[in-house]
Amino acid sequence: MPEDAPPNGGAPGPRARVLGMQTKLHRWTVADPGRRFDDLFNFVHDPATLLVAFDRVAGNRGARTPGVDGLTAIDVEESIGVPGFLNDLRAALKDGSFRPLPVRERSIPKPGGAGKVRKLGIPTIADRVVQAALKLVLEPIFEADFTPVSYGFRPRRRAQDAIAEIHYFGTRGYRWVLDADIEACFDSIDHTALMDRVRHRVKDKRVLSLVKAFLKAGVLTELGENKKTLTGTPQGGILSPLLANIALSALDEHLHGPWKPGGTMATEGKRAYRRRKGQPTWRIVRYADDFVVLVHGTEADTAALREEVADVLEPLGLRLSQAKKRIVHMSDGFDFLGFRIQWKRKGGTTKWHVYTFIADRPLRSLKAKIRALTGRTSQQDLAAVLIRLTQIMRGWANYFKHAVAKHVFDRLDAFVWWRLIRMLRERHRWSWGDVRRRFTTPTGRWRPIAADGIELFRIASVTVSRYRYRPTIPTPWQPANPV
C-alpha cells in the first residue's frame, strides 16, 4: 500500500495532510493580500508536518553529514528511532524548551573559484527537521507574494526558466544588460530588515521567535571557536534559501512593480508609449543572489538602474559585488548560471538572433573532473570509472541540453574516449594495434568502451532541444492553467 494511502478509508496520510494544509494557507494568502497569520505554530509542530520534514531531511544529500552534536539521519533511524525522536522534538517545541544549536562550519571550494571557498553552516538533524517544518508552513504563504521574475530555490522553477526568460525578452529589444550579483548575500542580510519582511505575513510570535532563533544560533568554526551570527542566514540550512528570497523579494517588487496591473509597464501598449517618449523599460531576472536587469533603452538608462538597485539593497544590509557588476550590450555576450547568452548574426544570413551557449567555466570544470578520473597512471577499477563518468556527464548534459550544445557534446565525447583509451594503453601497455583488436568489430566498426556490463555513456547521444519559455508557472498548491 502507498505510504500516503488512507487505511480502510480512514484519515489521509501525513503527506496528504501537509499538502492540504499548504493548499489552504496558499489560497488564503492569495485571497487576502494584507492577511497576517497568527496561528501557524500548531502547523509547525503537527506530527504530520514533522514526519514529512524528517523524510525530506533524510532524503537530502547532506543527511550523512552531522552537525555539532555528531548525529546523522541514519543514527536517528537506527539508534534512536524516528517516532521517539520526533515525539521528543515535538514536546520540546510545544513547551518552549527547544533551542537551535550552532551550525557547524564547513568550507567547500567554489565552482571555478580559483581557490576560493564557500562557507556552509551545517545544522544538527533536529534543527534541520524544525527548519524543514517551518519551510513547509511558510513557503506556501510567501510564494503567493513572490514575483514571477525570481527562479532560484522556488518550487517547480529551474535555472532553465530564467535563461528562457532572458532569451524571450532579449529577442524583443531588451539588449542592454546590468549583469550583477550580491556580495556575500547569505552572510550579510540584515536580521532586522529580514524579520520585518517576515512579519508582513506572519503574526504568530512563536513562529517569529523560532525563525529569529535560527538566525541567531551562531557558528562553530572549523577551528572550534563559537562565533555569533549578527547578520546573514547560513548557507546549508534548509530554511536559508527561503529567508534569502523573502529578503530579496524587496528588489523584485521594486523593479517588477511597474509590470503589475495598473503599473506604467503593465501592458505592451504602455511599454511602447514609454519608449516613444524616450523612457526605458526593463525586466529583472533573478536566481537567488545572482541577477540580471534587461533594459530596452540606452546604456545610460542601465547605469541609472544600477544605482537604483544599490539603493534598494542598502536597507537590507546588502551591496552589489564589485567583481561582478557591469553593464554590457547583449551583442558582446554575458554569462549567467553557466550559460553564455549573446545576440549575434546567424552565419550566412543578415538575421540576428539571441543564442544560448555553454559558458567556458562549466566546460573547464567538467574537463577537470574527467581528467581527475582518467589519469594515465590511475589504477581505479574501469567499471567504477565508467559509473562515475556517467553520473557526472549525464547530469551535466541534462542541465545544458537546451543550449546550442551539439558540437560541444560531440567534442566532449571524443575527449572522454581519448582520455580512457590513453589510460588503458598506459595501464596494460597496449599498442595501437591492441586497442583496435579489442575495440573494433571484424567489419572495422568501433565497439563501446565497457567493463562488467557497464558501457561508457555517450554524451553526444543526448538530444539537444530548445527550452520553452513559461510565462506562467503554477505553484504546487494551485491547479495548472488549462492549455
Side-chain angles (χ1 to χ4, degrees):
M1 176 186 294
E3 184 177 334
D4 236 21
N8 300 322
R15 286 187 181 83
R17 286 178 56 191
V18 170
L19 180 60
M21 173 268 295
Q22 291 180 311
T23 302
K24 289 178 181 178
L25 289 174
H26 186 76
R27 185 172 66 246
W28 293 335
T29 310
V30 171
D32 186 355
R35 179 166 182 169
R36 295 178 67 210
F37 291 86
D38 58 0
D39 190 18
L40 296 176
F41 191 68
N42 289 333
F43 288 139
V44 174
H45 67 68
D46 185 275
T49 307
L50 292 177
L51 183 58
V52 172
F54 181 86
D55 286 345
R56 293 194 176 183
V57 169
N60 287 345
R61 286 186 299 175
R64 296 177 178 270
T65 306
V68 295
D69 61 356
L71 281 178
T72 66
I74 294 176
D75 294 331
V76 171
E77 291 171 341
E78 296 181 351
S79 303
I80 303 173
V82 175
F85 173 79
L86 294 182
N87 285 339
D88 292 344
L89 186 57
R90 182 168 186 256
L93 286 168
K94 289 181 68 176
D95 66 23
S97 61
F98 174 81
R99 295 291 183 276
L101 293 174
V103 297
R104 181 169 70 87
E105 186 179 75
R106 182 181 178 186
S107 299
I108 61 171
K110 280 189 175 182
K116 296 181 181 179
V117 297
R118 174 180 288 124
K119 293 187 181 296
L120 299 182
I122 311 299
T124 64
I125 288 295
D127 290 352
R128 275 180 254 181
V129 171
V130 177
Q131 286 194 33
L134 278 168
K135 184 183 178 185
L136 288 169
V137 173
L138 296 178
E139 188 173 50
I141 294 173
F142 286 96
E143 271 292 324
D145 294 333
F146 288 161
T147 65
V149 294
S150 70
Y151 294 94
F153 306 111
R154 293 183 60 188
R156 293 184 178 172
R157 290 169 172 261
R158 337 168 42 197
Q160 287 79 4
D161 287 309
I163 299 301
E165 179 155 344
I166 293 172
H167 189 280
Y168 179 86
F169 284 96
T171 60
R172 286 158 175 79
Y174 290 74
R175 304 268 161 71
W176 281 103
V177 181
L178 169 60
D179 179 20
D181 67 6
I182 300 166
E183 185 173 340
C185 176
F186 281 83
D187 298 329
S188 305
I189 294 174
D190 183 83
H191 287 172
T192 301
L194 171 58
M195 290 304 301
D196 285 345
R197 293 195 65 82
V198 174
R199 289 189 187 96
H200 285 168
R201 278 299 194 175
V202 178
K203 193 176 179 181
D204 192 320
K205 292 183 178 180
R206 292 168 297 178
V207 171
L208 292 171
S209 295
L210 262 184
V211 173
K212 189 172 183 179
F214 281 116
L215 293 175
K216 300 292 186 183
V219 177
L220 179 65
T221 69
E222 293 177 296
L223 299 177
E225 301 172 352
N226 279 304
K227 186 171 66 174
K228 292 182 179 180
T229 45
L230 303 177
T231 61
T233 174
Q235 292 190 67
I238 292 174
L239 193 59
S240 295
L242 175 60
L243 294 178
N245 271 335
I246 291 172
L248 292 175
S249 61
L251 177 62
D252 305 336
E253 291 164 4
H254 180 83
L255 291 181
H256 190 66
W259 285 76
K260 294 183 177 179
T264 56
M265 295 188 286
T267 65
E268 181 54 45
K270 288 185 175 182
R271 295 192 288 273
Y273 175 79
R274 283 180 60 89
R275 291 193 285 269
R276 286 196 300 271
K277 295 293 184 180
Q279 297 175 323
T281 57
W282 59 82
R283 182 85 172 187
I284 182 175
V285 179
R286 183 175 66 81
Y287 192 95
D289 58 343
D290 201 359
F291 67 92
V292 295
V293 182
L294 310 173
V295 180
H296 196 311
T298 66
E299 184 176 7
D301 295 328
T302 312
L305 279 170
R306 178 176 60 190
E307 302 310 313
E308 200 170 317
V309 166
D311 291 342
V312 174
L313 293 176
E314 186 178 3
L316 299 171
L318 303 173
R319 61 181 181 177
L320 294 176
S321 170
Q322 296 300 315
K324 187 183 177 184
K325 183 181 70 172
R326 62 196 189 108
I327 294 172
V328 297
H329 194 270
M330 201 171 279
S331 60
D332 296 324
F334 64 97
D335 292 355
F336 189 63
L337 304 179
F339 295 89
R340 178 77 178 172
I341 303 166
Q342 188 171 8
W343 183 58
K344 60 183 296 186
R345 184 174 60 84
K346 184 178 181 180
T349 72
T350 58
K351 294 182 179 180
W352 286 65
H353 301 279
V354 176
Y355 290 92
T356 304
F357 303 101
I358 301 174
D360 289 337
R361 178 181 286 182
L363 188 58
R364 289 197 304 268
S365 177
L366 176 66
K367 285 186 173 181
K369 292 177 182 179
I370 292 170
R371 288 189 182 100
L373 282 168
T374 58
R376 292 194 183 192
T377 59
S378 171
Q379 295 301 312
Q380 191 173 359
D381 179 66
L382 179 59
V385 171
L386 294 177
I387 290 173
R388 186 63 186 135
L389 282 173
T390 297
Q391 292 170 340
I392 293 171
M393 292 193 298
R394 192 183 294 277
W396 196 89
N398 283 336
Y399 184 83
F400 288 108
K401 67 183 180 181
H402 301 297
V404 180
K406 185 60 179 173
H407 293 307
V408 176
F409 287 178
D410 288 340
R411 292 197 300 271
L412 281 171
D413 217 41
F415 175 77
V416 175
W417 190 88
W418 279 108
R419 291 289 306 181
L420 285 170
I421 289 297
R422 286 167 183 153
M423 182 185 79
L424 293 172
R425 287 188 67 184
E426 181 73 21
R427 178 181 297 182
H428 300 294
R429 301 291 189 266
W430 286 344
S431 66
W432 184 245
D434 295 327
V435 172
R436 288 192 62 87
R437 280 192 295 273
R438 284 168 171 80
F439 293 107
T440 58
T441 66
T443 60
R445 294 179 62 87
W446 285 97
R447 294 192 182 100
I449 298 175
D452 300 335
I454 299 166
E455 290 188 3
L456 170 64
F457 172 69
R458 303 296 303 273
I459 196 170
S461 67
V462 175
T463 302
V464 175
S465 62
R466 172 72 60 86
Y467 190 87
R468 181 175 296 180
Y469 170 54
R470 300 188 292 165
T472 303
I473 304 174
T475 71
W477 314 290
Q478 66 189 61
N481 290 338
V483 178

mmCIF file of all heavy atoms in Angstrom, residues 12 35 48 52 97 183 211 288 305 376 455:
data_model
loop_
_atom_site.group_PDB
_atom_site.id
_atom_site.type_symbol
_atom_site.label_atom_id
_atom_site.label_comp_id
_atom_site.label_asym_id
_atom_site.label_seq_id
_atom_site.Cartn_x
_atom_site.Cartn_y
_atom_site.Cartn_z
ATOM 1 N N PRO A 12 -6.415 10.749 5.833
ATOM 2 C CA PRO A 12 -5.321 10.742 4.861
ATOM 3 C C PRO A 12 -3.964 10.654 5.546
ATOM 4 O O PRO A 12 -3.813 10.996 6.724
ATOM 5 C CB PRO A 12 -5.494 12.078 4.135
ATOM 6 C CG PRO A 12 -6.243 12.948 5.089
ATOM 7 C CD PRO A 12 -7.141 12.014 5.840
ATOM 8 N N ARG A 35 -3.370 39.841 4.670
ATOM 9 C CA ARG A 35 -3.565 38.946 5.820
ATOM 10 C C ARG A 35 -2.245 38.620 6.506
ATOM 11 O O ARG A 35 -1.245 38.334 5.862
ATOM 12 C CB ARG A 35 -4.239 37.659 5.365
ATOM 13 C CG ARG A 35 -4.456 36.664 6.495
ATOM 14 C CD ARG A 35 -5.395 35.561 6.116
ATOM 15 N NE ARG A 35 -5.637 34.638 7.216
ATOM 16 C CZ ARG A 35 -6.574 33.706 7.224
ATOM 17 N NH1 ARG A 35 -7.389 33.577 6.183
ATOM 18 N NH2 ARG A 35 -6.738 32.904 8.261
ATOM 19 N N ALA A 48 2.215 15.258 11.561
ATOM 20 C CA ALA A 48 2.348 15.019 10.122
ATOM 21 C C ALA A 48 3.418 15.922 9.518
ATOM 22 O O ALA A 48 4.234 15.486 8.694
ATOM 23 C CB ALA A 48 1.013 15.251 9.420
ATOM 24 N N VAL A 52 6.860 14.521 7.692
ATOM 25 C CA VAL A 52 7.222 14.878 6.315
ATOM 26 C C VAL A 52 8.551 15.629 6.303
ATOM 27 O O VAL A 52 9.399 15.417 5.426
ATOM 28 C CB VAL A 52 6.107 15.717 5.666
ATOM 29 C CG1 VAL A 52 6.551 16.258 4.306
ATOM 30 C CG2 VAL A 52 4.843 14.883 5.508
ATOM 31 N N SER A 97 10.982 24.649 25.144
ATOM 32 C CA SER A 97 12.366 24.365 25.554
ATOM 33 C C SER A 97 13.308 24.139 24.376
ATOM 34 O O SER A 97 14.526 24.031 24.567
ATOM 35 C CB SER A 97 12.398 23.129 26.471
ATOM 36 O OG SER A 97 11.909 21.978 25.787
ATOM 37 N N GLU A 183 27.128 40.761 -3.100
ATOM 38 C CA GLU A 183 28.333 40.332 -2.382
ATOM 39 C C GLU A 183 27.973 39.685 -1.040
ATOM 40 O O GLU A 183 27.287 40.286 -0.216
ATOM 41 C CB GLU A 183 29.246 41.535 -2.145
ATOM 42 C CG GLU A 183 30.576 41.179 -1.522
ATOM 43 C CD GLU A 183 31.511 42.373 -1.455
ATOM 44 O OE1 GLU A 183 31.301 43.339 -2.206
ATOM 45 O OE2 GLU A 183 32.451 42.335 -0.647
ATOM 46 N N VAL A 211 12.106 31.491 13.973
ATOM 47 C CA VAL A 211 12.891 31.969 12.832
ATOM 48 C C VAL A 211 14.069 32.799 13.328
ATOM 49 O O VAL A 211 15.217 32.618 12.881
ATOM 50 C CB VAL A 211 12.015 32.805 11.878
ATOM 51 C CG1 VAL A 211 12.868 33.442 10.788
ATOM 52 C CG2 VAL A 211 10.928 31.930 11.254
ATOM 53 N N ALA A 288 18.354 33.401 -7.005
ATOM 54 C CA ALA A 288 18.993 33.582 -5.692
ATOM 55 C C ALA A 288 19.665 34.954 -5.668
ATOM 56 O O ALA A 288 19.012 35.967 -5.924
ATOM 57 C CB ALA A 288 19.954 32.442 -5.402
ATOM 58 N N LEU A 305 19.686 52.498 -13.504
ATOM 59 C CA LEU A 305 19.062 51.383 -12.786
ATOM 60 C C LEU A 305 20.040 50.724 -11.827
ATOM 61 O O LEU A 305 19.645 50.229 -10.763
ATOM 62 C CB LEU A 305 18.534 50.350 -13.790
ATOM 63 C CG LEU A 305 17.173 50.674 -14.419
ATOM 64 C CD1 LEU A 305 16.881 49.714 -15.566
ATOM 65 C CD2 LEU A 305 16.059 50.609 -13.379
ATOM 66 N N ARG A 376 46.512 8.882 -16.546
ATOM 67 C CA ARG A 376 47.174 7.751 -17.205
ATOM 68 C C ARG A 376 47.680 6.713 -16.209
ATOM 69 O O ARG A 376 47.727 5.526 -16.513
ATOM 70 C CB ARG A 376 48.342 8.251 -18.058
ATOM 71 C CG ARG A 376 47.903 9.057 -19.266
ATOM 72 C CD ARG A 376 49.038 9.226 -20.232
ATOM 73 N NE ARG A 376 48.649 10.067 -21.371
ATOM 74 C CZ ARG A 376 49.358 10.192 -22.472
ATOM 75 N NH1 ARG A 376 50.508 9.543 -22.586
ATOM 76 N NH2 ARG A 376 48.957 10.965 -23.459
ATOM 77 N N GLU A 455 28.720 0.270 -19.962
ATOM 78 C CA GLU A 455 29.286 0.946 -21.124
ATOM 79 C C GLU A 455 29.536 2.418 -20.841
ATOM 80 O O GLU A 455 28.872 3.029 -20.003
ATOM 81 C CB GLU A 455 28.331 0.827 -22.325
ATOM 82 C CG GLU A 455 28.219 -0.562 -22.906
ATOM 83 C CD GLU A 455 27.410 -0.572 -24.198
ATOM 84 O OE1 GLU A 455 26.995 0.521 -24.651
ATOM 85 O OE2 GLU A 455 27.188 -1.664 -24.738
#
